Amino acid sequence: MSDYFTWLGVVLCLLMLMALYRTVIGPTIIDRIMGANVIGTKTVVLLIIIGTIFGRVEMFVDIALAYAMLNFIVTIAASRYFTHHKNILQEGYGLRHRPGGPKD
Amino acid sequence: MINPEQYPILIVIVPFLSAFFLSITGCFKRSLCRPIALLALFGAAAAAVGSLHRVITTGIIHYRLGGWPPPFGIEYVIDHLNGLVLVVITLVALLAAIFSGKSVERELPGKEPLFYALFLLLVVGLLGMTITGDAFNLYVLLEISSLTAYALIAIGQDRAIHASFNYLIIGTIGASFYLLGVGHLYIMTGSLNMADLASILPQLYGSKAILTAFLLILIGVWTKMAFFPLHTWLPNSYTYAPTATSCLVAPLMTKVAVYIMIRMMFSVFTPAYVFHHLAMAPVVIWMAIAAIVGGSLLALSQRDFKKMLTYLIVAEVGYMVGGIWLANRLGITGAILHIVNDAFMTLCLFLAAGTIIHRTGGHHFDNLKGLFHQMPLTMTAFTIGALSMIGVPPTAGFFSKWYLILGSIQAGRYEFVAALLFSSLVNAVLFFRLLEISYFEKPPHQENTAHGPVSMVAEAPLTMLVPLLVSAITLIVLGIYSGELVTKIIQFAVPAGI
Amino acid sequence: MIWQIDLLILTLIVICGFCTIVVKDLLGAAVIFGAYSFLMCLLWTEMGAVDVAFTEASVGAGVSTVLFFAAVHRTTRHVKMKPSGRLMGKTIGLAAAGLMGCVLLYATTDFPSWADPNSPASTHVSPRYITGTIPDTSVPNMVTSVLADYRGFDTMFETAVILTAGLAVLIILGQTGNRSPLPISRLPQGPITQGYDDTIIRFITRIMTPFLQLFALYVIAHGHHSPGGGFQGGVILGATFILMSISYDLRMVTNRFNERTNLLLANTGLLIYSGIGALCLILGANFLDYSALAKILPGTTTITARSEAMLGVEIGVALAVMAIVILIYNNLVSNGTYENGL
Amino acid sequence: MLEFILAKYNYWIYILIMMIGLYAMLAKNNLIKKIIGMGIFQTAIIIFYVSAGAKRGGTIPIIEHAHGAEGNAVDVLHYINPLPHVLMLTAIVVSVGTLGVALALALRIYGRYNSLEEDEILDRIDQDETATETTGALPTTMIQS
């Protein structure tokens, strides 16, 4: 049973790689925020799975709860930024610098 | 009445508790802040002197925090070395606090509560680093003293913020290296207590991880003390810091870092490991020579006396590090004596500089013109500090330099002797130039009124003058009694086996 | 430890860390840094360091990311590119990093294997904590007992570090802007100024906040038996106020927690901690030797007195941390003026 | 082979992360990037310590109900070493404190020099200094926000 959860964890980690790809590559900031949010959500699940592997879930629930809440705050804060600065779709904030870059 | 057994903890706890008490009082009544700070520092100084006295009469003091035995809990250890350093820190801090009243009022209006709370926390950090017998506890206190120092420097003028940011980045690298070094020790031994580490380490001296740990700790501490190639953060941050900050930070921060290096080299590792097993002493001595020569030359090129003094600190750090790595009794005695002397020398010079800045409003050489006639007492104190820095007997600076020279001759390091003499020569040139400007040149701040020329600069207020004069007198007293100091205290502080 | 997950997460962390410093957008960098912290939290959990994971989840992933957003909001998002610039700095950076890497790599050859139960770190001092925590302090969570008792002195200074950081932020940012001399005791009471009517967010915040605060109190009080404690609880409490200030307005929080209140709370928290220590001193024991408190706490033995005193200490820590988190956020997000928030 | 990689993998990775952090702190031009580098640098040390505390076959360092109570002995091998965790709690708290101060400094620098790029800031500082030296006038770029 423990093996099953371990490999479940591994698969989730691999899935996280896809979200990480979106986070890293962008191209817009919204993609990044979404990607980070997905990573956060997966982390909550993984926390519980790790708890199951250790056989002491009750100790890990608190962390997962706190985690989910703070993830919420981070996402809201990141979104809130755009009520002040309206440059969501502007090009030039990617990994590479593109000509005609952003004007803040 | 408090049991003398509890003196060690009082040294740290009195200013610590007072910092919060002061911060709370500051929310309601701002004028109470300075008296509380002075009282706290006075209490700490009394406890430190009491502890040093107990060390001299009864031997090394151990204090178990929380009552836990050493490798499991944190332990305070006071021996001859750190007892002396503790007294120096508390006295210097007390003098700097007395001095700072007027300049804080003027430079940082409305911020007294925050300033004094941070001031006390900085002193707590320095004291805690000195007194502790636990390698990790030292890191936490290192961070307290660094964070307060960043903040206290950043509120200065001109480029202080940028200097403080640079200091923060480099200081964090230094502290992290120290932490990583302690981690390497921990992973190899499983202990954090210095005495316990010292008992386990000898079996592991061949280990590469232990060598790395030693190097990491050394580099971390060197960064904090601004040893030559790592000194770049120091001059700007100390120059542009507010007067009250630089009077506290400049005399103490580098000295405490030197103390930590001594503690790590001799109490965690052993002289046998450091000097015989590693054979890196020649390299370090050449680096010290570079520090002395480089610091002196850079000081020579300045037209700003506060900045000049900061470069001299870099050179003085070279004295102490070089003296310790000479690996003989005389050299180490000289280095330890120089920690004490240099703390008071730097204090004296920075207090004098602070007074001059307070009165003339700038730290350029031009501000010094004609000051001898306008501020005779201040300039006398400045002269004593300068003579001590040059190394003229009977001021304190002469004796530590004497020991250092004797030590280097004994070790056969004539290049170090040459560097010491060169630096004395440069100091002489520097300070005589300053004294010449202040004695012979005409003051610029004269206005021709109907009643003839009136000077706008007067002697400093009493709260500034008294600490300045006390520090200058201390220099002479330290010089006269340096023999006593060496035979009563310092010779026990030099590790056995040298 | 679970090695499969360990390997994967470490690899992901390296990718995240690398991209954080490469990406050309500061907000994006902050977001990726947030993801980096999420992964860190997983790594600690997987290695069994639940308390560290909890702290990372609250401090690292939560508060520090929000602080980055606040700073980017107040400065700029844009990183300027200079293709040829700073060759010197890059060379120094590469050389220093390379040299350090080589030295550290050289050291790893002597390390005991990862997770070796017979390594010196696991056999020298730590067994005493594992076997001693129940008989010495009657606290099952040995991280709490080491944190607040065996090495309680460290923790006191650690709380002082947080307070120092708060005071430092105040004194640094207090200079900007045209605000009244410190400390601000009363801000102009006014209607909420921002015109964005985020009904859903506000509604959810209104419902969630009491539960979150209750949860934070639980974390503080239950730290003896499960992961958590003063720091984590304090940060979560502080984060709820940050949440309110984000979804409503900064004014909403500063009207309740002005600067003076925050300073008072933080200092009181630390006075509680060091006061408990000093009380032991007055009762004739060493500083922070909680067993002396058995004389004045009714119904305790020297052992359970330690447990009770730890709870008191945790409450002090939580107060200080909560106040300072709010203080730092408020100052950073408004550039020291308390005018407008994120 | 797997054994060897497993034995040292954590330590290799912490070195790699530390190098990334150090490089960012020293070489990056943008102040916020430097601060992020600082965060990465500090977390690398935390990885190192926590890895040192891991123990094969150990569970989390909270005594289970069956152990310890009613005179049952606690098995040392059953629990992970708690000491590095405690130390790293301290380190995390220290790093968030440093982060706060660093960001506050960055805000002040931006307020004054209107830039986060190191070289531009240095240029402006130089301008200020030459301005004060030649004319004695107040710095031109003194923008207090």
Side-chain angles (χ1 to χ4, degrees):
Chain A
M1 197 60 184
S2 175
D3 255 7
Y4 169 72
F5 280 113
T6 308
W7 293 111
L8 204 59
V10 170
V11 171
L12 271 175
C13 281
L14 288 175
L15 283 175
M16 215 185 257
L17 200 61
M18 291 160 65
L20 189 64
Y21 174 80
R22 207 21 85 212
T23 317
V24 166
I25 299 297
T28 68
I29 185 69
I30 297 296
D31 294 301
R32 294 189 207 278
I33 296 173
M34 288 301 287
N37 208 352
V38 172
I39 293 180
T41 317
K42 286 211 192 323
T43 308
V44 175
V45 179
L46 261 169
L47 282 173
I48 298 296
I49 288 179
I50 292 172
T52 321
I53 297 171
F54 274 109
R56 305 177 70 180
V57 193
E58 71 276 12
M59 297 292 166
F60 291 73
V61 175
D62 293 351
I63 307 176
L65 268 177
Y67 199 93
M69 162 208 155
L70 285 151
N71 196 11
F72 175 64
I73 294 183
V74 168
T75 314
I76 292 208
S79 323
R80 190 70 171 165
Y81 178 89
F82 293 101
T83 56
H84 299 272
H85 308 257
K86 316 259 184 227
N87 49 0
I88 300 173
L89 292 174
Q90 221 155 15
E91 291 272 305
Y93 282 123
L95 265 185
R96 297 246 156 268
H97 186 68
R98 299 197 186 103
K103 292 163 213 69
D104 213 6
Chain B
M1 197 53 221
I2 289 161
N3 190 348
E5 291 280 321
Q6 307 288 353
Y7 280 168
I9 190 66
L10 287 182
I11 301 174
V12 177
I13 276 316
V14 169
F16 188 69
L17 274 168
S18 312
F20 312 125
F21 191 60
L22 182 155
S23 194
I24 289 179
T25 335
C27 291
F28 302 103
K29 194 154 172 59
R30 205 172 286 155
S31 56
L32 278 177
C33 290
R34 207 167 100 88
I36 294 177
L38 291 180
L39 214 60
L41 287 172
F42 185 77
V49 171
S51 304
L52 182 63
H53 181 252
R54 277 195 69 208
V55 170
I56 294 171
T57 50
T58 61
I60 299 173
I61 306 175
H62 294 267
Y63 185 88
R64 293 171 177 187
L65 286 153
W68 297 107
F72 307 109
I74 294 168
E75 187 191 26
Y76 270 3
V77 184
I78 306 184
D79 56 11
H80 291 84
L81 177 58
N82 61 2
L84 186 64
V85 179
L86 285 172
V87 172
V88 171
I89 294 172
T90 46
L91 288 182
V92 168
L94 185 60
L95 287 177
I98 296 173
F99 176 85
S100 62
K102 288 269 184 257
S103 71
V104 173
E105 261 172 41
R106 182 148 121 197
E107 289 174 36
L108 310 162
K111 291 192 179 176
E112 289 94 342
L114 289 176
F115 178 85
Y116 283 112
L118 287 170
F119 188 101
L120 282 182
L121 282 170
L122 175 54
V123 178
V124 167
L126 295 173
L127 290 171
M129 276 196 285
T130 313
I131 197 172
T132 189
D134 190 275
F136 188 81
N137 192 240
L138 202 157
Y139 166 75
V140 182
L141 287 147
L142 186 70
E143 284 291 353
I144 290 191
S145 64
S146 314
L147 275 179
T148 44
Y150 308 145
L152 289 179
I153 286 168
I155 50 180
Q157 7 111 347
D158 293 337
R159 49 194 297 181
I161 326 162
H162 186 249
S164 169
F165 187 85
N166 269 345
Y167 182 19
L168 187 142
I169 294 288
I170 296 179
T172 307
I173 295 179
S176 301
F177 272 154
Y178 175 81
L179 179 61
L180 193 60
V182 172
H184 277 71
L185 291 181
Y186 178 70
I187 203 171
M188 296 307 289
T189 64
S191 180
L192 291 167
N193 182 280
M194 290 183 189
D196 196 33
L197 280 171
S199 68
I200 302 173
L201 278 180
Q203 304 135 31
L204 295 166
Y205 276 163
S207 160
K208 296 168 199 160
I210 296 297
L211 172 66
T212 312
F214 182 70
L215 288 179
L216 285 171
I217 290 176
L218 212 55
I219 291 172
V221 177
W222 280 350
T223 317
K224 283 285 175 190
M225 74 168 82
F227 193 45
F228 182 61
L230 307 167
H231 72 283
T232 43
W233 56 267
L234 186 138
N236 278 336
S237 24
Y238 284 11
T239 308
Y240 298 103
T243 310
T245 309
S246 53
C247 289
L248 177 70
V249 169
L252 292 180
M253 287 291 261
T254 51
K255 269 48 129 196
V256 171
V258 172
Y259 160 78
I260 296 172
M261 187 180 81
I262 300 178
R263 179 58 74 203
M264 283 293 156
M265 281 167 66
F266 300 142
S267 298
V268 174
F269 295 88
T270 51
Y273 178 72
V274 175
F275 296 131
H276 303 304
H277 194 85
L278 290 185
M280 58 185 279
V283 185
V284 179
I285 287 179
W286 275 111
M287 283 165 74
I289 291 169
I292 295 172
V293 175
S296 304
L297 289 179
L298 285 168
L300 208 52
S301 65
Q302 300 303 320
R303 296 287 299 158
D304 174 331
F305 58 83
K306 204 171 172 191
K307 201 163 203 173
M308 186 196 95
L309 292 178
T310 60
Y311 278 111
L312 288 182
I313 296 178
V314 175
E316 299 287 322
V317 167
Y319 282 28
M320 288 176 267
V321 176
I324 292 157
W325 285 82
L326 286 174
N328 58 30
R329 249 198 129 70
L330 284 166
I332 294 171
T333 308
I336 295 172
L337 188 60
H338 203 69
I339 292 181
V340 180
N341 292 345
D342 193 40
F344 281 101
M345 261 152 46
T346 323
L347 177 74
C348 178
L349 289 172
F350 269 84
L351 289 186
T355 316
I356 295 168
I357 293 164
H358 186 75
R359 278 302 185 205
T360 65
H363 33 86
H364 200 259
F365 278 5
D366 293 341
N367 293 100
L368 287 172
K369 283 179 184 168
L371 280 188
F372 239 110
H373 309 291
Q374 292 160 336
M375 311 169 74
L377 287 173
T378 308
M379 289 314 289
T380 313
F382 184 77
T383 313
I384 294 174
L387 290 178
S388 179
M389 206 72 160
I390 298 165
V392 178
T395 51
F398 168 74
F399 294 95
S400 42
K401 217 172 260 188
W402 181 247
Y403 276 108
L404 288 175
I405 290 177
L406 286 182
S408 42
I409 290 173
Q410 196 188 38
R413 300 255 162 226
Y414 294 100
E415 63 273 19
F416 194 62
V417 181
L420 287 172
L421 293 178
F422 173 76
S423 139
S424 303
L425 204 67
V426 172
N427 284 356
V429 172
L430 281 172
F431 283 111
F432 281 120
R433 197 170 60 173
L434 287 189
L435 294 176
E436 187 198 329
I437 293 174
S438 56
Y439 197 83
F440 290 111
E441 294 204 22
K442 285 268 174 293
H445 293 287
Q446 282 186 346
E447 280 175 13
N448 282 312
T449 57
H451 310 284
V454 173
S455 165
M456 294 170 66
V457 181
E459 191 55 81
L462 215 56
T463 49
M464 295 184 133
L465 205 56
V466 171
L468 175 59
L469 290 178
V470 169
S471 66
I473 293 166
T474 315
L475 283 179
I476 296 178
V477 173
L478 273 176
I480 295 169
Y481 288 100
S482 67
E484 295 263 310
L485 199 61
V486 171
T487 49
K488 286 253 173 67
I489 303 174
I490 295 179
Q491 68 157 327
F492 301 106
V494 179
I498 298 264
Chain C
M1 35 72 76
I2 304 146
W3 64 265
Q4 299 93 333
I5 298 181
D6 184 77
L7 293 186
L8 269 169
I9 291 177
L10 277 171
T11 317
L12 292 181
I13 282 174
V14 172
I15 299 172
C16 263
F18 181 73
C19 293
T20 316
I21 68 157
V22 170
V23 76
K24 290 283 165 285
D25 170 11
L26 287 182
L27 196 67
V31 170
I32 303 178
F33 192 61
Y36 175 88
S37 292
F38 296 162
L39 293 170
M40 271 309 169
C41 172
L42 262 183
L43 187 71
W44 311 143
T45 324
E46 162 273 317
M47 282 200 262
V50 272
D51 276 273
V52 183
F54 209 152
T55 318
E56 180 77 35
S58 46
V59 174
V63 171
S64 63
T65 315
V66 175
L67 292 186
F68 269 115
F69 290 152
V72 174
H73 166 59
R74 276 292 156 195
T75 56
T76 174
R77 207 178 130 189
H78 180 40
V79 182
K80 293 209 176 76
M81 262 285 282
K82 287 218 186 60
S84 62
R86 285 181 62 83
L87 209 61
M88 178 75 176
K90 278 182 182 158
T91 326
I92 292 178
L94 270 182
L99 193 68
M100 185 193 68
C102 293
V103 171
L104 294 181
L105 204 60
Y106 170 74
T108 54
T109 48
D110 272 359
F111 282 176
S113 316
W114 179 61
D116 181 5
N118 297 317
S119 67
S122 299
T123 51
H124 182 54
V125 171
S126 69
R128 163 70 200 267
Y129 298 134
I130 296 172
T131 53
T133 179
I134 292 276
D136 285 346
T137 65
S138 74
V139 172
N141 185 351
M142 49 192 98
V143 175
T144 305
S145 66
V146 178
L147 186 82
D149 197 351
Y150 293 100
R151 297 184 69 87
F153 198 60
D154 264 353
T155 311
M156 189 173 85
F157 284 115
E158 172 190 354
T159 323
V161 168
I162 276 287
L163 181 85
T164 309
L167 295 181
V169 169
L170 261 188
I171 204 170
I172 290 169
L173 285 179
Q175 276 193 332
T176 52
N178 44 356
R179 61 183 248 210
S180 56
L182 300 173
I184 291 182
S185 55
R186 186 172 294 271
L187 280 159
Q189 305 265 336
I192 288 159
T193 48
Q194 262 166 243
Y196 309 107
D197 194 15
D198 310 316
T199 314
I200 297 173
I201 304 267
R202 288 185 180 179
F203 185 71
I204 290 173
T205 308
R206 216 162 45 223
I207 293 179
M208 269 173 73
T209 308
F211 290 106
L212 289 175
Q213 288 172 347
L214 198 64
F215 174 64
L217 292 180
Y218 154 79
V219 170
I220 297 168
H222 205 255
H224 288 26
H225 302 276
S226 68
F231 279 104
Q232 295 89 338
V235 172
I236 295 173
L237 264 182
T240 57
F241 290 103
I242 293 180
L243 177 64
M244 275 163 68
S245 113
I246 291 173
S247 55
Y248 282 85
D249 186 74
L250 187 65
R251 198 51 72 68
M252 178 150 177
V253 175
T254 48
N255 281 348
R256 286 158 180 77
F257 279 93
N258 58 38
E259 193 169 295
R260 178 185 280 185
T261 322
N262 271 332
L263 274 177
L264 284 181
L265 276 177
N267 284 301
T268 315
L270 262 158
L271 276 180
I272 291 176
Y273 199 139
S274 38
I276 289 177
L279 199 60
C280 307
L281 202 68
I282 293 167
L283 289 172
N286 279 3
F287 190 74
L288 285 177
D289 190 347
Y290 305 134
S291 57
L293 294 174
K295 290 177 198 159
I296 53 166
L297 286 174
T300 53
T301 63
T302 49
I303 292 165
T304 49
R306 288 183 178 278
S307 163
E308 307 274 330
M310 271 185 242
L311 184 62
V313 161
E314 300 270 15
I315 290 170
V317 172
L319 268 183
V321 171
M322 176 194 77
I324 293 298
V325 163
I326 299 173
L327 192 68
I328 292 181
Y329 172 77
N330 283 350
N331 271 283
L332 280 181
V333 82
S334 65
N335 211 354
T337 58
Y338 297 111
E339 293 289 323
N340 291 312
L342 197 62
Chain D
M1 188 60 199
L2 188 67
E3 286 287 301
F4 177 67
I5 291 176
L6 276 187
K8 293 284 169 353
Y9 190 71
N10 277 41
Y11 300 121
W12 295 336
I13 294 294
Y14 107 82
I15 293 171
L16 201 56
I17 294 172
M18 206 160 169
M19 284 165 72
I20 294 174
L22 187 67
Y23 174 77
M25 282 167 94
L26 292 175
K28 280 286 163 185
N29 200 17
N30 188 290
L31 301 187
I32 302 269
K33 279 288 176 70
K34 276 179 192 266
I35 298 173
I36 289 180
M38 191 172 82
I40 293 177
F41 191 69
Q42 285 168 328
T43 42
I45 298 177
I46 305 178
I47 297 184
F48 171 71
Y49 269 85
V50 175
S51 304
K55 196 187 275 183
R56 196 173 299 116
T59 180
I60 57 174
I62 298 168
I63 305 279
E64 287 182 76
H65 289 304
H67 294 225
E70 290 107 35
N72 289 337
V74 174
D75 180 11
V76 172
L77 287 179
H78 190 65
Y79 294 100
I80 295 170
N81 179 1
L83 185 54
H85 303 179
V86 175
L87 305 182
M88 286 311 104
L89 279 183
T90 310
I92 291 178
V93 172
V94 166
S95 74
V96 76
T98 321
L99 174 76
V101 176
L103 287 177
L105 283 172
L107 285 192
R108 285 269 287 141
I109 290 176
Y110 187 78
R112 169 134 189 203
Y113 301 108
N114 205 15
S115 171
L116 281 179
E117 310 292 319
E118 180 103 31
D119 48 2
E120 290 183 13
I121 294 165
L122 286 175
D123 283 350
R124 275 169 211 177
I125 287 175
D126 284 346
Q127 281 170 18
D128 282 358
E129 279 185 357
T130 46
T132 40
E133 265 173 32
T134 50
T135 62
L138 278 173
T140 44
T141 49
M142 252 178 100
I143 307 159
Q144 293 281 346
S145 68

